[in-house]
Amino acid sequence: YPDNVKNISDCSYWFIDLQSDGNQHLNLRNGNMNAGSKVLTYNANHDALEQWYFRYAKDGYFYIITRRTNKYLYNNNGVISVENAPNAP
């Protein structure tokens, strides 16, 4: 959770849409909630697998974290997945 949040219900969650198609949300592929699960856009269902929150990292950067698993969005040379929390200070 963000540092100043004591309860998950204190967070604001967001759907991340394709700019070209607001009916496509960022989603976990096949509902897979494990670390390493691929992320894609899929037809919007408006469920927790499609909800994300932002956590301040530092120097103006933010982590994007899935509501359902609290895993972090990760880009590895263009392959987007969710991973466990990074080793951040």
Side-chain angles (χ1 to χ4, degrees):
Y1 307 124
D3 294 334
N4 63 343
V5 173
K6 306 217 181 336
N7 185 311
I8 193 69
S9 64
D10 295 336
C11 292
S12 292
Y13 299 104
W14 303 90
F15 295 112
I16 301 175
D17 302 340
L18 280 179
Q19 182 178 1
S20 60
D21 183 352
N23 292 319
Q24 296 273 316
H25 287 170
L26 203 60
N27 202 329
L28 301 176
R29 184 177 183 193
N30 297 324
N32 185 343
M33 295 183 276
N34 296 320
S37 173
K38 301 298 184 266
V39 175
L40 48 74
T41 57
Y42 195 74
N43 293 333
N45 293 315
H46 298 94
D47 62 24
L49 288 174
E50 301 171 352
Q51 294 177 339
W52 304 82
Y53 66 94
F54 296 81
R55 179 177 180 203
Y56 185 72
K58 64 179 181 178
D59 298 328
Y61 290 93
F62 288 81
Y63 296 114
I64 302 173
I65 305 166
T66 176
R67 175 182 185 178
R68 185 63 177 241
T69 66
N70 287 313
K71 292 191 174 21
Y72 289 61
L73 198 61
Y74 184 75
N75 179 354
N76 183 13
N77 294 318
V79 176
I80 310 300
S81 63
V82 291
E83 302 293 345
N84 293 318
N87 294 327

